[in-house]
Amino acid sequence: MFVLARALPSSTHVSNWSAAWVGLDALIAAGLLGTGALLARRDPRHGLTAAATGALLAMDAWFDVLTSGPGAERALAVAMAAGLELPLACACAVLAARALRPVSTAPQPAGTDEGHPAAANARRA
């Protein structure tokens, strides 16, 4: 990273600039829609799309702020990052952490059906 920081130019002309940003925003939109659809179906895989989308949102905020011009353009980039992109990234991180947390796999003693409704009803009778 030190070598890159010293070797890369501080500014450059980039072709397809708008296509890169539109593509990133399209990926974020697809990630949010996919996460919402999976979450609505209570599909635990929503954690995977939430994690990826959160990372894209954080990256978008980072590059928006760092590539914005001074003045009003930077103020808008900071406002968008602080007010929208980073809070959404945090929400995605929470969804991902909740969905991807390990499931308890403690072994049950042989012959018991702990957690099974019929076994609980039998014990109460």
Side-chain angles (χ1 to χ4, degrees):
M1 288 187 292
F2 178 75
V3 171
L4 282 175
R6 303 284 292 161
L8 290 174
S10 61
S11 66
T12 187
H13 175 75
V14 179
S15 59
N16 301 317
W17 182 257
S18 60
W21 284 111
V22 169
L24 177 59
D25 288 341
L27 283 172
I28 291 170
L32 290 170
L33 289 171
T35 299
L38 291 170
L39 189 59
R41 292 191 322 213
R42 299 189 192 286
D43 189 323
R45 293 175 295 179
H46 75 270
L48 299 172
T49 57
T53 305
L56 288 172
L57 282 160
M59 183 183 76
D60 188 31
W62 174 262
F63 283 107
D64 281 345
V65 171
L66 290 181
T67 60
S68 62
E73 187 179 339
R74 178 146 314 125
L76 179 60
V78 169
M80 290 287 290
L84 182 66
E85 294 162 336
L86 295 177
L88 271 175
C90 288
C92 285
V94 168
L95 285 172
R98 287 182 180 169
L100 301 174
R101 67 177 165 234
V103 177
S104 175
T105 57
Q108 299 295 325
T112 64
D113 285 330
E114 290 300 319
H116 192 275
N121 290 336
R123 282 193 298 276
R124 280 184 260 170

